[in-house]
């Protein structure tokens, strides 16, 4: 069950990190201008915890965890 939650949290975190990336917002062609290709800093979670939990804790969260626990993927 923990692995399922970690998997979903990683997906939410990656998408949120890309949304905050200025290079992605302006579609910059150089990777040097994309924060999303760097490692997420350790302090990021503290400042963005509420936003991440809002994105993670949706109507699909419990069914996704249940499906993962049963080994069923759609």
């Amino acid at each position: 069950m923990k692995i399922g939650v970690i998997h979903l949290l990683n997906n939410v975190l990656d998408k949120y990190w890309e949304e905050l990336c200025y290079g992605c917002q302006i579609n910059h062609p150089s990777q040097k201008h994309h924060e999303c290709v760097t490692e997420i800093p350790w302090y990021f979670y503290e400042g963005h915890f509420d936003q991440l939990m809002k994105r993670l804790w949706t109507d699909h969260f419990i069914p996704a965890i249940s499906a993962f626990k049963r080994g069923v993927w759609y």
Side-chain angles (χ1 to χ4, degrees), residues 5-6 8-10 12-13 16 44-61:
V5 173
I6 290 170
L8 293 173
L9 179 59
N10 281 335
V12 166
L13 185 58
Y16 186 62
F44 179 81
Y45 303 98
E46 193 173 310
H48 298 272
F49 181 80
D50 291 336
Q51 282 297 319
L52 290 169
M53 289 303 107
K54 282 181 188 177
R55 292 163 186 263
L56 181 65
W57 199 261
T58 64
D59 294 338
H60 303 289
F61 180 71

Side-chain angles (χ1 to χ4, degrees), residues 5-74:
V5 173
I6 290 170
H7 177 72
L8 293 173
L9 179 59
N10 281 335
N11 285 341
V12 166
L13 185 58
D14 288 343
K15 288 178 185 177
Y16 186 62
W17 185 237
E18 285 180 14
E19 287 176 22
L20 296 178
C21 175
Y22 181 70
C24 287
Q25 291 173 9
I26 64 168
N27 200 21
H28 201 282
S30 171
Q31 285 189 351
K32 292 179 183 177
H33 297 281
H34 283 266
E35 247 184 82
C36 63
V37 295
T38 62
E39 188 174 317
I40 298 172
W42 62 269
Y43 54 85
F44 179 81
Y45 303 98
E46 193 173 310
H48 298 272
F49 181 80
D50 291 336
Q51 282 297 319
L52 290 169
M53 289 303 107
K54 282 181 188 177
R55 292 163 186 263
L56 181 65
W57 199 261
T58 64
D59 294 338
H60 303 289
F61 180 71
I62 298 299
I65 293 300
S66 296
F68 181 80
K69 189 175 178 182
R70 290 189 317 266
V72 178
W73 290 100
Y74 299 99

